[in-house]
């Protein structure tokens, strides 16, 4: 009960999609996972780390067969998914598939992710869709990354320390995310406790409290 945290069950992209087994087989895999999460009565379901919008649509549709809230994140940047679907269209399709929360996780740094989030929000607004927004970026700077993000960088995966974001980067990220309307603000690969604390400190007034540990500095 400490901290009032929520629990979730997560789905990610699966080899069955990339090998072309089709919607029925892919959804069967997702249903096996979702059943465990529902049986354990987790608070909500999260579809994340998807590179293709079609596959995450299928995952969302399976999750919506339950009575759980569903969040959906793609690991894409401003250029959209691996099939060339724009970031705005990806957001629209996730929302129309039934996602209650829409956003991005992994592959790109906080500020590249926010550029993609701006495109997503613009698309959602134009389509008259109002899901909650979520962003969980890397804690590594990736301004030079290609469509697939940090996976293509020469430092990946064992020499990324030189790209790590500072606390001050995280303060800026949290403020900019809040200002564009993101309300689920977190982190993915590379995030350390001090990064999350910096996010919480930046939004202390909005949250009505400072995070534990702030008195140490």
């Amino acid at each position: 009960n400490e901290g009032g945290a929520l629990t979730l069950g997560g789905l990610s992209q699966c080899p069955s999609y990339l090998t072309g087994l089709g919607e029925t087989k892919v959804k069967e895999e997702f249903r096996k996972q979702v059943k465990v999460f529902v049986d354990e009565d987790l608070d909500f379901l999260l579809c994340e780390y998807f590179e293709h919008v079609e596959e995450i649509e299928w995952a969302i549709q399976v999750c919506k067969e339950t009575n759980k809230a569903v969040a959906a994140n793609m690991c894409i940047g401003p250029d959209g998914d691996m099939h060339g679907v724009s970031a705005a269209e990806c957001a629209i399709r996730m929302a129309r598939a039934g996602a209650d929360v829409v956003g991005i996780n992994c592959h790109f740094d906080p500020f590249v992710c926010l550029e993609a989030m701006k495109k997503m929000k613009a698309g959602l607004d134009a389509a008259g869709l109002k899901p909650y927004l979520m962003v969980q970026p890397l804690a590594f700077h990736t301004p030079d990354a290609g469509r697939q993000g940090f996976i293509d960088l020469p430092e990946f995966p064992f020499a990324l320390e030189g790209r790590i974001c500072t606390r001050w980067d995280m303060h800026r990220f949290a403020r900019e995310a809040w200002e564009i309307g993101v309300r689920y603000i977190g982190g993915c690969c590379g995030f350390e406790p001090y990064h999350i604390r910096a996010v919480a400190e930046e939004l202390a007034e909005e949250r009505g409290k400072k995070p534990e540990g702030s008195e140490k500095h």
Side-chain angles (χ1 to χ4, degrees), residues 49-69:
Y49 200 83
F50 284 81
E51 296 177 299
H52 306 89
V53 69
E54 180 181 57
E55 186 181 9
I56 199 170
E57 285 178 303
W58 296 348
I60 294 166
Q61 288 162 5
V62 169
C63 289
K64 293 300 288 186
E65 294 171 0
T66 74
N67 62 355
K68 301 290 186 181

Side-chain angles (χ1 to χ4, degrees), residues 7-194:
T7 59
L8 67 86
L11 304 177
S12 295
Q13 58 191 4
C14 62
S16 298
Y17 178 79
L18 291 178
T19 53
L21 295 184
E23 181 176 356
T24 299
K25 289 291 186 182
V26 172
K27 283 186 171 180
E28 284 177 2
E29 290 198 31
F30 291 145
R31 285 193 183 97
K32 290 178 185 178
Q33 298 171 73
V34 168
K35 182 181 185 302
V36 177
F37 303 147
V38 172
D39 289 346
E40 294 299 320
D41 197 27
L42 301 182
D43 293 309
F44 70 102
L45 303 176
L46 173 62
C47 308
E48 70 171 358
Y49 200 83
F50 284 81
E51 296 177 299
H52 306 89
V53 69
E54 180 181 57
E55 186 181 9
I56 199 170
E57 285 178 303
W58 296 348
I60 294 166
Q61 288 162 5
V62 169
C63 289
K64 293 300 288 186
E65 294 171 0
T66 74
N67 62 355
K68 301 290 186 181
V70 179
N73 287 337
M74 296 188 70
C75 51
I76 62 173
D79 293 334
D81 84 349
M82 295 303 290
H83 283 153
V85 180
S86 72
E89 183 63 20
C90 285
I92 290 168
R93 287 173 63 171
M94 285 190 285
R96 286 181 173 161
D100 304 292
V101 187
V102 166
I104 287 173
N105 81 295
C106 205
H107 276 203
F108 295 93
D109 71 37
F111 308 107
V112 176
C113 283
L114 289 181
E115 288 305 307
M117 289 300 303
K118 290 174 186 176
K119 293 186 175 185
M120 284 187 160
K121 186 175 187 301
L124 291 165
D125 288 347
L129 299 168
K130 300 294 182 183
Y132 291 100
L133 301 179
M134 179 178 186
V135 64
Q136 297 189 115
L138 301 174
F140 306 110
H141 289 288
T142 63
D144 51 335
R147 182 182 287 271
Q148 204 169 13
F150 79 145
I151 289 174
D152 296 328
L153 293 175
E155 300 96 329
F156 180 85
F158 297 125
L160 289 162
E161 290 85 353
R163 293 175 174 266
I164 197 75
C165 296
T166 68
R167 291 168 172 83
W168 315 130
D169 292 324
M170 293 306 170
H171 278 273
R172 176 187 158 202
F173 156 63
R175 180 55 52 193
E176 292 183 9
W178 182 272
E179 289 178 352
I180 67 173
V182 182
R183 293 297 179 264
Y184 194 122
I185 303 171
C188 200
C189 305
F191 264 74
E192 299 289 348
Y194 68 87

